[in-house]
Amino acid sequence: LRAGVPAQDVRAIADRARDRARSTPCDSQDLGIAAQRVRSSFAGYARLIRQDFPGDVGVWRADRSVNSRRPVWKLSQDVRQGALQMRLGIAGRPGAEHLMAVATFPDGVPPYTARIVMRDRRLTSGPYLDTRGASLKSLPLHMRIPRSGPFESYSAESRSPSGADLLPSGMASGWAFRFPAQAAAAIAELDPRESIQVEFLFASGPPQRLFLEVGDFTAARAFLAVRAG
C-alpha cells in the first residue's frame, strides 16, 4: 500500500489466495512441495528475536525474547512532542500482555485518563490521507487522520505510575495507561499509511494529543506470534 498499490488490488490477491487454498486438497503433492519450500525459507526468519518495522515516519520495534521475571515491551513505537514523551505498544509478562502507553508530562501533572482515537473503519471506505499534492512519504501524521471524524475511540482501562521496567530511555518517571484488547485489534485493521491519535485528558486545561503511524503494526504483531526456530 505504501508503494501505491490500490487497496482493492491487495484485497483481490488475498481473495484469490484464499479461494485457491480452499480448493486444494490437504494431501496434495504440489502443496506438500510448496509447504516444504516455505518451511526451509522460514527457518532463518523464525530464529530472529528482534526486528524493526520502519514506516514512512515511525518505527515499530518488536522483541520476542522472553522474560518471566519482569514486564517488558514486546512491541513499541516512541514519539516526542516538545517535552511530552510517550511510548505506545504491547507490554507485560508472558501471558499477560496488553496494549499500553507510558508517557511523561512537562509540568508533572498527570491526566485523569487517556484514549486512542482513530478513523472509524465501519463508517468510512478507506484511509484519510490529506496529501493535497504533497508526497505521501513526507506527509505529517496529523494529516493522516480525519479532521472531524467519523472516529472510534478506546479509553484506557487503568492508570498508574509506571514501573521502572517500562520507562523508555531518558524518561525518569511516567504514567502507564492500559487499553482494551479491542483497541489493538482495531489498529491492526487500519491502513498502514494512516495514523492514530493518543489523547490525554486533564481535569483542567486542554487535552494533549500525540500522533503515531499505524505502519506495519499488523506485521509486527504477527512476528511476535512466530514460534522460535
Side-chain angles (χ1 to χ4, degrees):
L1 292 172
R2 286 199 295 265
V5 177
Q8 58 268 27
D9 290 357
V10 175
R11 287 193 293 268
I13 293 171
D15 290 341
R16 288 198 298 272
R18 281 191 289 268
D19 290 343
R20 182 66 182 272
R22 293 189 187 104
S23 63
T24 302
C26 293
D27 59 355
S28 164
Q29 183 177 1
D30 289 342
L31 180 61
I33 294 172
Q36 185 54 48
R37 288 174 179 167
V38 171
R39 291 189 191 100
S40 299
S41 301
F42 190 73
Y45 177 79
R47 287 192 290 269
L48 291 177
I49 299 300
R50 299 176 183 87
Q51 185 169 352
D52 290 350
F53 294 81
D56 292 332
V57 180
V59 179
W60 288 106
R61 304 189 185 280
D63 186 344
R64 296 198 295 128
S65 60
V66 176
N67 189 324
S68 59
R69 295 173 296 175
R70 60 185 179 87
V72 295
W73 287 100
K74 307 301 293 182
L75 179 62
S76 63
Q77 184 177 150
D78 293 330
V79 61
R80 182 187 292 271
Q81 181 176 300
L84 180 59
Q85 182 181 355
M86 181 189 71
R87 174 173 288 181
L88 179 77
I90 297 173
R93 295 180 176 86
E97 296 159 349
H98 306 278
L99 181 65
M100 298 183 64
V102 171
T104 185
F105 303 93
D107 56 6
V109 178
Y112 65 86
T113 192
R115 63 184 180 185
I116 296 176
V117 181
M118 66 190 79
R119 172 180 62 87
D120 192 321
R121 303 152 294 145
R122 298 158 296 187
L123 300 178
T124 54
S125 59
Y128 178 90
L129 303 169
D130 188 9
T131 56
R132 301 192 185 187
S135 169
L136 180 58
K137 291 287 186 182
S138 59
L139 190 66
L141 292 179
H142 71 274
M143 298 176 70
R144 298 172 181 240
I145 188 171
R147 292 188 176 184
S148 57
F151 296 118
E152 60 179 315
S153 63
Y154 297 87
S155 296
E157 295 178 321
S158 67
R159 182 200 73 162
S160 64
S162 175
D165 294 334
L166 295 181
L167 289 174
S169 176
M171 189 184 293
S173 63
W175 287 81
F177 301 85
R178 189 186 72 216
F179 296 94
Q182 295 92 326
I187 295 172
E189 292 185 8
L190 293 173
D191 188 294
R193 298 169 294 178
E194 60 187 315
S195 64
I196 61 173
Q197 174 182 291
V198 181
E199 189 173 59
F200 297 101
L201 306 177
F202 298 84
S204 61
Q208 296 190 36
R209 300 179 177 92
L210 289 169
F211 298 89
L212 292 91
E213 184 178 12
V214 173
D216 287 335
F217 180 77
T218 302
R221 286 180 80 204
F223 173 78
L224 294 179
V226 171
R227 284 176 48 188

